[in-house]
Amino acid sequence: MGKLNYFDYLALAQSEYKLLLEKYPELALLSKREFEVFAQLLTDKTQAQIAEELFVSHSSVHFHCKNIYKKLNINSRKQLLIKYKEI
């Protein structure tokens, strides 16, 4: 596969997102920022590190986490990691 241009990259990202939603339709409930935090929660980064990477406050990350857990019907990061370990 050759070098991707910007529009090819966008199309690929949209395709991957669509496949992800087919497997986990509840992720469509997340806002764009919540989805960004969700993706970071799948790593071993702390909330403080996530805040720094996303250029938001630690309290904003905490707020988004609470919303994410509520929307995904889970109670902790551990549950999130177990439920979405295949992502």
Side-chain angles (χ1 to χ4, degrees), residues 24 26 72-74 78-85:
Y24 303 104
E26 68 275 15
L72 300 181
N73 198 28
I74 56 177
K78 183 177 180 178
Q79 286 180 333
L80 181 137
L81 291 169
I82 291 168
K83 187 173 181 177
Y84 299 101
K85 65 184 172 189

Side-chain angles (χ1 to χ4, degrees), residues 1-75:
M1 183 173 195
K3 186 176 177 181
L4 294 178
N5 68 37
Y6 176 77
F7 297 105
D8 291 337
Y9 179 77
L10 284 178
L12 179 60
Q14 288 174 335
S15 173
E16 291 294 318
Y17 182 69
K18 183 179 175 186
L19 290 173
L20 187 62
L21 290 183
E22 287 176 9
K23 186 167 185 176
Y24 303 104
E26 68 275 15
L27 294 179
L29 299 172
L30 303 180
S31 70
K32 181 181 176 196
R33 182 57 94 179
E34 288 169 346
F35 191 80
E36 291 172 347
V37 172
F38 168 82
Q40 294 294 319
L41 289 171
L42 295 174
T43 70
D44 60 352
K45 294 177 185 165
T46 65
Q47 285 190 11
Q49 290 170 322
I50 293 170
E52 187 175 315
E53 180 147 334
L54 298 178
F55 303 103
V56 297
S57 69
H58 181 269
S59 61
S60 291
V61 171
H62 182 73
F63 176 79
H64 289 307
C65 287
K66 286 174 43 178
N67 289 338
I68 291 166
Y69 297 164
K70 184 177 180 180
K71 289 179 179 182
L72 300 181
N73 198 28
I74 56 177
N75 297 310

